[in-house]
Amino acid sequence: MTEKEFERQNIFGKGAENTAYAKYFAGNSYLNPLTSPEGKPFFANVTFEPACRNNWHIHHAEEGGGQLLLCIAGEGWYREWGKPARSLRPGDVVLIPAGVRHWHGAKKESWFSHIAVELPGKNTSTEWLDAVTDEEYDELDR
């Protein structure tokens, strides 16, 4: 998918370069907050350039919490630790309970965008872990 085709699908817009979290991503990502970060739940459109993905990470909470992904444009991947990767397309929904180690990002040949929703919970936090290696990522398109 070309960037121009992707922009037509990405109804919430790409937003600004995601510099605040760039160290947790391989490749370039963009962030368009849709609600106030102080509000709960917080909604943001996250856009990934082709082959961009975030590091393995865990959303922690004493109760509740986790993350919800609403896929809106392009094609991407979601993977939980120890499980096969899941291919994502517009309309797909991913519910990620608190405590689950995972990553998400774009496929090699496609831009990808999802609405990320931080689910309300008690004492929530995100723990950023190691990067998804090129070897781990490259095996997905074989």
Side-chain angles (χ1 to χ4, degrees):
M1 169 178 291
T2 68
E3 185 175 1
K4 194 172 196 171
E5 292 168 323
F6 172 77
E7 286 296 334
R8 279 195 293 270
Q9 273 188 15
N10 192 8
I11 60 173
F12 291 102
K14 186 164 68 173
E17 193 168 338
N18 189 6
T19 55
Y21 292 91
K23 64 184 174 183
Y24 305 120
F25 285 74
N28 295 319
S29 67
Y30 303 85
L31 186 63
N32 186 15
L34 303 176
T35 62
S36 168
E38 293 80 34
K40 296 294 179 203
F42 171 58
F43 290 74
N45 186 28
V46 182
T47 297
F48 302 79
E49 289 184 346
C52 176
R53 68 267 187 192
N54 53 31
N55 288 7
W56 289 99
H57 59 286
I58 301 170
H59 302 282
H60 294 287
E62 287 181 20
E63 57 185 57
Q67 187 177 45
L68 180 69
L69 306 178
L70 306 169
C71 305
I72 60 169
E75 293 187 39
W77 293 110
Y78 168 76
R79 188 167 197 179
E80 290 183 9
W81 187 257
K83 294 184 179 180
R86 177 177 164 193
S87 179
L88 300 175
R89 300 177 51 82
D92 288 340
V93 175
V94 181
L95 178 60
I96 308 160
V100 173
R101 181 178 169 144
H102 68 283
W103 66 266
H104 32 103
K107 290 191 174 180
K108 284 184 187 178
E109 304 295 325
S110 180
W111 286 77
F112 178 60
S113 189
H114 62 54
I115 304 299
V117 183
E118 293 179 20
L119 300 176
K122 183 177 177 184
N123 293 325
T124 61
S125 65
T126 300
E127 178 184 8
W128 290 99
L129 304 166
D130 48 319
V132 175
T133 66
D134 289 340
E135 184 177 280
E136 286 175 299
Y137 182 78
D138 289 345
E139 75 182 22
L140 300 180
D141 281 331
R142 289 187 187 153

